[in-house]
Amino acid sequence: MRDRHLCFLIGETGRNPNAAAQLAPQPSVRGGSHSQPAPLLFFLVPSPSESSKASRTQRAAAMASPDAEQPAPTEPARWRDLDMLLSRPGNLVEASFDPSPTLRDLLGSLVEVLVVGAGGLGCELLKDLALSGFKKLHVIDMDTIDVSNLNRQFLFRVQDVGKSKAEVAAKRVMERVSGVNIVPHFCRIEDKELEFYSQFHIIVLGLDSIEARSYINSVACGFLEYDSNDNPLPETVKPMVDGGTEGFKGHARVIIPGTTPCFECNIWLFPPQVKFPLCTLAETPRTAAHCIEYAHLIKWDEVHSGKPFDADDAEHMQWIYSEALKRAELFGISGVTYSLTQGVVKNIIPAIASTNAIISAACALEAFKLISGCSKSVSNYLTYNGLEGTHIKVTDFVRDKDCLVCGPGTLIELDTSSTLAEFIKMLEEHPKLRISKASVTHEGNNLYMQSPEVLEQMTRPNLSVPMFELLKGVPCATVHATGMAENNGKKVSSLRKLRVAFKGVEASNMDTTESS
Amino acid sequence: MINLFKIKGQKKEEAASAAGKAPVKKQSAGELRLHKDISELNLPKTTSISFPNGKDDLMNFEIIIRPDEGYYMGGTFVFTFQVSPSYPHEPPKVKCKTKVYHPNIDLEGNVCLNILREDWKPVLNINTVIYGLNLLFTQPNDEDPLNHEAAVVLRDNPKMFEANVKRAMAGGYVGQHYFPRCA
Ligand SMILES: [Zn+2]
């Protein structure tokens, strides 16, 4: 996950335009989509026994100011609205839904939820999930609190600046919502082993980068296994709810690996970030942003011979600002300010607290529905736009059946004695694959590369080694092969996911989960 | 989808089989796509590739171009490629390691090639970029300058530009800038 510090001024800031919501993209939409009725969002917040207008206002005030004293409502009353959702049958419930007053207890005592990110969206998510009956939560974030976060990351106070977001957020929500346990993880998402992620029943994402989403998606989809008919095995499905906001826009989507599109299936929803041509920056700057990018991308290296630029170093930022200002004066361009400099360099666009609240509410509701089955899930991508009126739209995106991350791949059975060379031969002969000249990779180990020559030489010795040995003796594993495959009589380059299973090797439950 | 009662039943099995597991490295979709790009590289005869970190790090590599025509014939130019896990969503980061007198490459090694920035599309690949870099040496372009002085000389006095390129590649000064030998 990319470093996401926001260490600067007060000002409404959030990061990375790429990261979040793209507005209701149109292509490859299948059929109609059903929206969730918005009022449901509001039922979810447990209310005290008297649901008079006055007490609601009080409750809102208490939430807005967690430091205020507020007697904890008595348990049954507190969860009354939630219990209604869980104990009544209906026409819109999931087929598996079995209404019962004990569901809330199960929800609280059994379901482990991971919230990824404790920033603007993460703070909201933790609060919403805790108030929706989830009691076993974990939160992971590598960031520390910056003064500029305080305007919207409402769990944090001035005295928290510099502390771990995950730790402070967990503590605050536990103080406010009795009976909830939140375990904070102050680290990078990549620092955790797969075992850590496997313990959760659902993962809720409040992230602002494509990279981090893509990573969590690959982890969650990595647990997915298929049966021999390429149907996902329900017990290996690790659902995700992904939220993202960008200014007045946001999205909430439900990813059920093997059933709905995964993040990678629709990665094209996130267009590459707009980049200015370097020569425009060097020769013909026309805007304040051009001047700032010139100082950032060209001038810095010219002057600092190899010293890397650190966007979180205030001195570095000040230097970029003053250089950009000089450049702007030279070309008669106005508008370079310190905060614009930060905005351009760190790719910041304004973050709106209410967008976070709306998207988080939608995400928490989806998590609640996925787990309880008390209503059908959104299918499968909700976009919200609070600009020029308010628009909410749900789009039913379709899976990429050949997705390398969530697709079933092709099952190949091998003897433990089969060598890599024999395996490559099998790929050529396999009726579903017919991949010639395959290069093979496994979890970042390049087992064999047909090209370029340097890599072919380095990997050639593997050809005579049994696959069982190359895959470190696991009963089954996912490998990827690249090569020329036949498609409608034409040879096209392709990249395929393969499930390799070794004949006669016992696969225990967890091992298969792990290596697929 | 996920049924609470199912979760309840699952609980026991999980506890039973939570034995020690070796951490598994996750391969990003970007790495896989890069693996495909690299295994399908079709290098022009002017170009070679090397992997300073060995066969399992494809995300960092070097491209060496030895132009066989044009102003830069006889020179050897090294480019470093840094590919992020978000590839091909993000273009590779390419820098020229060899100090070169060139209108579209500045003295810090920044390269002005449209497909590396404003015109990058995920359908492009490493081959396209290598092709583009080769083009820079056969067709330096005075219209998109990063090295302004070199661009002006190329436009106004191609003969002098040719002489300057030769001097720089042989190791010497062009104007105030010293260029180490790369021919
Ligand atoms: Zn997918």
Side-chain angles (χ1 to χ4, degrees):
Chain A
M1 177 156 70
R2 196 167 57 188
D3 176 327
R4 297 185 285 105
H5 292 270
L6 297 161
C7 68
F8 38 85
L9 309 181
I10 309 219
E12 301 199 334
T13 50
R15 185 126 182 215
N16 190 343
N18 266 337
Q22 300 306 326
L23 247 204
Q26 304 308 322
S28 89
V29 178
R30 183 189 59 195
S33 42
H34 61 273
S35 324
Q36 291 297 334
L40 252 188
L41 301 185
F42 305 106
F43 296 148
L44 264 190
V45 182
S47 58
S49 47
E50 337 85 317
S51 61
S52 72
K53 223 175 190 170
S55 78
R56 281 183 189 271
T57 319
Q58 249 174 35
R59 184 157 47 88
M63 255 340 284
S65 159
D67 303 329
E69 285 289 319
Q70 167 94 344
T74 56
E75 277 294 295
R78 165 173 209 142
W79 303 111
R80 195 196 56 188
D81 295 348
L82 213 54
D83 288 343
M84 281 186 189
L85 285 173
L86 294 174
S87 55
R88 297 196 300 204
N91 295 325
L92 291 174
V93 302
E94 288 287 348
S96 61
F97 183 62
D98 189 5
S100 151
T102 64
L103 278 183
R104 183 168 52 76
D105 282 340
L106 293 175
L107 188 89
S109 62
L110 293 179
V111 181
E112 308 230 13
V113 185
L114 174 64
V115 175
V116 186
L121 203 46
C123 280
E124 292 280 351
L125 285 169
L126 284 170
K127 174 259 289 173
D128 287 351
L129 290 166
L131 292 174
S132 303
F134 293 101
K135 292 192 150 107
K136 297 171 114 180
L137 296 155
H138 287 237
V139 58
I140 182 166
D141 196 311
M142 63 173 287
D143 271 358
T144 53
I145 298 160
D146 185 81
V147 72
S148 67
N149 303 146
L150 302 178
N151 67 344
R152 66 193 182 282
Q153 298 180 17
F154 64 95
L155 296 172
F156 309 143
R157 298 288 168 271
V158 176
Q159 62 269 26
D160 300 325
V161 168
K163 294 181 192 162
S164 150
K165 287 187 178 178
E167 287 168 7
V168 175
K171 183 168 157 267
R172 290 283 140 73
V173 174
M174 283 195 287
E175 283 166 5
R176 292 283 304 156
V177 188
S178 59
V180 169
N181 186 44
I182 305 179
V183 183
H185 303 272
F186 179 28
C187 63
R188 305 170 69 86
I189 51 177
E190 297 92 339
D191 292 344
K192 290 288 182 190
E193 293 181 3
L194 294 185
E195 185 65 16
F196 168 76
Y197 292 103
S198 78
Q199 70 185 294
F200 300 104
H201 298 103
I202 187 165
I203 301 176
V204 186
L205 310 182
L207 287 165
D208 64 359
S209 95
I210 292 198
E211 253 171 281
R213 281 197 181 86
S214 172
Y215 181 82
I216 296 288
N217 180 70
S218 72
V219 169
C221 293
F223 295 116
L224 180 67
E225 283 181 59
Y226 286 86
D227 67 16
S228 48
N229 296 320
D230 288 353
N231 294 315
L233 294 172
E235 64 274 21
T236 66
V237 174
K238 185 87 60 197
M240 284 168 278
V241 179
D242 174 41
T245 69
E246 191 176 283
F248 285 100
K249 302 172 187 173
H251 77 250
R253 71 191 291 189
V254 167
I255 298 178
I256 303 166
T259 303
T260 73
C262 82
F263 183 69
E264 223 62 56
C265 286
N266 312 137
I267 182 110
W268 48 265
L269 284 170
F270 301 83
Q273 186 197 323
V274 178
K275 290 190 162 124
F276 306 122
L278 284 180
C279 30
T280 300
L281 304 181
E283 285 292 307
T284 50
R286 293 181 305 275
T287 66
H290 287 161
C291 299
I292 293 164
E293 282 292 74
Y294 172 79
H296 171 216
L297 296 172
I298 295 176
K299 193 76 184 175
W300 176 270
D301 283 343
E302 228 172 272
V303 174
H304 293 87
S305 58
K307 182 169 142 191
F309 170 74
D310 176 5
D312 292 328
D313 186 321
E315 265 178 48
H316 289 194
M317 194 60 83
Q318 188 61 44
W319 189 91
I320 300 288
Y321 168 56
S322 63
E323 285 300 317
L325 213 50
K326 278 187 223 164
R327 179 109 180 135
E329 268 164 33
L330 189 65
F331 284 87
I333 295 168
S334 60
V336 173
T337 61
Y338 186 73
S339 65
L340 182 70
T341 304
Q342 294 174 314
V344 170
V345 170
K346 301 175 113 188
N347 231 333
I348 292 163
I349 49 119
I352 313 287
S354 49
T355 309
N356 284 338
I358 290 164
I359 292 301
S360 167
C363 289
L365 176 60
E366 290 307 321
F368 180 77
K369 291 193 297 184
L370 271 174
I371 290 295
S372 67
C374 74
S375 182
K376 288 206 190 323
S377 294
V378 67
S379 56
N380 43 43
Y381 199 118
L382 177 151
T383 46
Y384 161 81
N385 185 357
L387 271 181
E388 295 170 25
T390 299
H391 310 272
I392 291 179
K393 179 177 163 61
V394 176
T395 309
D396 190 4
F397 285 107
V398 292
R399 289 178 68 204
D400 170 2
K401 67 176 173 46
D402 290 327
C403 178
L404 294 173
V405 178
C406 72
T410 306
L411 179 67
I412 306 226
E413 287 192 297
L414 290 181
D415 292 313
T416 50
S417 61
S418 310
T419 63
L420 175 56
E422 286 164 350
F423 176 66
I424 290 172
K425 191 102 201 337
M426 285 172 78
L427 300 182
E428 200 163 348
E429 288 159 3
H430 194 286
K432 271 198 197 154
L433 295 168
R434 298 216 179 275
I435 303 179
S436 57
K437 291 205 158 38
S439 298
V440 181
T441 181
H442 170 246
E443 314 266 0
N445 281 327
N446 291 313
L447 302 181
Y448 184 65
M449 294 290 283
Q450 299 275 356
S451 162
E453 212 181 316
V454 275
L455 291 179
E456 199 280 333
Q457 279 170 11
M458 283 193 256
T459 54
R460 197 185 301 158
N462 282 345
L463 284 174
S464 57
V465 180
M467 281 293 278
F468 191 57
E469 194 176 310
L470 290 170
L471 301 182
K472 304 188 179 74
V474 296
C476 54
T478 298
V479 302
H480 290 88
T482 303
M484 301 303 286
E486 240 175 55
N487 193 347
N488 295 330
K490 269 201 297 195
K491 287 272 183 191
V492 289
S493 89
S494 52
L495 170 53
R496 288 290 158 78
K497 179 175 174 179
L498 308 169
R499 281 140 64 202
V500 174
F502 293 99
K503 293 174 196 162
V505 181
E506 275 293 303
S508 78
N509 265 348
M510 285 304 281
D511 281 347
T512 50
T513 305
E514 164 111 293
S515 53
S516 59
Chain B
M1 192 66 222
I2 299 46
N3 184 307
L4 276 169
F5 294 100
K6 216 156 57 194
I7 288 172
K8 198 177 184 185
Q10 228 174 297
K11 210 67 191 165
K12 273 188 191 131
E13 294 166 36
E14 276 174 23
S17 55
K21 297 282 167 342
V24 177
K25 193 188 154 204
K26 268 286 146 205
Q27 201 166 18
S28 69
E31 275 179 86
L32 290 171
R33 161 63 194 270
L34 182 64
H35 175 265
K36 176 170 180 282
D37 279 16
I38 297 282
S39 70
E40 288 171 353
L41 274 184
N42 187 3
L43 296 175
K45 58 184 186 307
T46 54
T47 307
S48 60
I49 188 169
S50 75
F51 297 88
N53 306 331
K55 72 171 180 70
D56 291 332
D57 183 3
L58 304 184
M59 310 291 270
N60 297 284
F61 58 91
E62 290 183 355
I63 289 290
I64 303 105
I65 297 181
R66 295 183 182 83
D68 57 2
E69 56 171 318
Y71 295 115
Y72 295 90
M73 192 167 80
T76 299
F77 305 95
V78 182
F79 292 85
T80 55
F81 278 61
Q82 269 186 307
V83 185
S84 86
S86 330
Y87 179 80
H89 186 77
E90 289 276 332
K93 280 201 176 77
V94 177
K95 283 237 175 186
C96 186
K97 238 172 116 177
T98 310
K99 195 167 172 186
V100 56
Y101 178 78
H102 193 295
N104 314 114
I105 302 175
D106 72 14
L107 301 175
E108 314 315 313
N110 293 308
V111 181
C112 187
L113 183 61
N114 62 335
I115 52 169
L116 286 176
R117 293 186 61 81
E118 72 275 18
D119 289 333
W120 174 256
K121 309 238 168 0
V123 293
L124 300 179
N125 57 34
I126 302 294
N127 245 338
T128 337
V129 175
I130 291 173
Y131 179 77
L133 293 176
N134 270 278
L135 222 55
L136 282 181
F137 289 105
T138 51
Q139 297 169 28
N141 165 5
D142 63 59
E143 281 164 18
D144 302 320
L146 264 191
N147 180 337
H148 185 79
E149 289 138 56
V152 169
V153 177
L154 173 64
R155 188 187 63 208
D156 298 341
N157 191 347
K159 278 262 177 301
M160 185 172 159
F161 178 78
E162 188 174 355
N164 285 351
V165 170
K166 288 271 175 301
R167 194 177 326 142
M169 294 201 308
Y173 276 92
V174 177
Q176 296 178 345
H177 296 289
Y178 180 75
F179 294 84
R181 183 182 172 85
C182 69

